Amino acid sequence: MDKKSSAVELMDSDHAWAAALESVLPAHHAIVLQEIAAAITHYPQDADILIAGIDLLGPTHPLMRNTDLYRSHCREILTRVAAGTDTRPGTAAEVCAVCSVTSLAAPFRAAAVGLYLRMWRMAGLPQIDGVTDDLDYYEHSVGSRIDELETMTRRRLAVATRRLPSPDRPGRSG
């Protein structure tokens, strides 16, 4: 049996990790299972480590009740797990959530609008006519400032505990 098949069977079976998932993510467990299965389809050679990454997929913001936002969050974390890159920095979905809340408190300057639109697009969220089409304008006008805001925001949203407990392979930094 190949690695992908064994990983999918593991996900479908009644193992301890499934019970842990149910207790950690009761409202989102179906989404987590779907996103892990999709990640395994894209990265079959990393099936075991993707399954091990299940503990990293907890929602980090109340706005992640929105399934599109939460799915995006899971996909980005799982992509990082498969790539062996740092899973701690904020995801595009987390940045979108913070931008949403912040935009209600104070008007945004151009760079902040550009950041929100960039993260919206990176998160793969649905297009909004007359709004999300403006990203190119902001990238051209204040792109370097958007870069700075993205770096700073992802760093500030980092979750120190969002890392694999022990790397399975050399070069994995969790």
Side-chain angles (χ1 to χ4, degrees):
M1 186 181 318
D2 66 17
K3 201 171 210 177
K4 179 180 170 187
S5 298
S6 63
V8 172
E9 285 179 13
L10 174 65
M11 289 176 62
D12 290 337
S13 64
D14 189 31
H15 284 65
W17 74 268
L21 170 66
E22 190 67 38
S23 67
V24 174
L25 304 170
H28 291 64
H29 70 279
I31 292 170
V32 169
L33 291 175
Q34 292 164 2
E35 293 304 324
I36 290 174
I40 290 170
T41 299
H42 287 95
Y43 311 104
Q45 71 282 3
D46 295 314
D48 293 339
I49 198 163
L50 288 166
I51 291 170
I54 198 166
D55 292 334
L56 309 180
L57 303 179
T60 57
H61 194 280
L63 288 178
M64 287 193 186
R65 289 184 307 260
N66 176 293
T67 57
D68 289 337
L69 194 66
Y70 183 62
R71 281 184 187 282
S72 170
H73 174 71
C74 291
R75 283 185 197 124
E76 186 170 342
I77 296 297
L78 291 168
T79 299
R80 291 179 192 177
V81 167
T85 59
D86 194 352
T87 53
R88 294 171 292 178
T91 63
E94 290 171 318
V95 176
C96 282
V98 168
C99 285
S100 175
V101 171
T102 306
S103 71
L104 299 175
F108 272 7
R109 293 188 176 181
V113 173
L115 174 66
Y116 199 177
L117 294 174
R118 180 189 285 178
M119 294 297 101
W120 189 276
R121 185 178 286 173
M122 282 181 161
L125 298 173
Q127 293 292 330
I128 301 171
D129 291 337
V131 177
T132 52
D133 300 333
D134 293 341
L135 176 58
D136 293 337
Y137 165 79
Y138 288 100
E139 290 285 3
H140 179 72
S141 301
V142 290
S144 63
R145 182 67 182 127
I146 296 170
D147 295 341
E148 293 169 10
L149 281 175
E150 179 181 352
T151 299
M152 179 191 69
T153 306
R154 285 182 184 265
R155 189 176 346 108
R156 286 187 177 173
L157 291 174
V159 178
T161 58
R162 187 168 58 206
R163 56 190 309 176
L164 292 171
S166 61
D168 284 351
R169 289 176 265 198
R172 297 267 181 195
S173 60

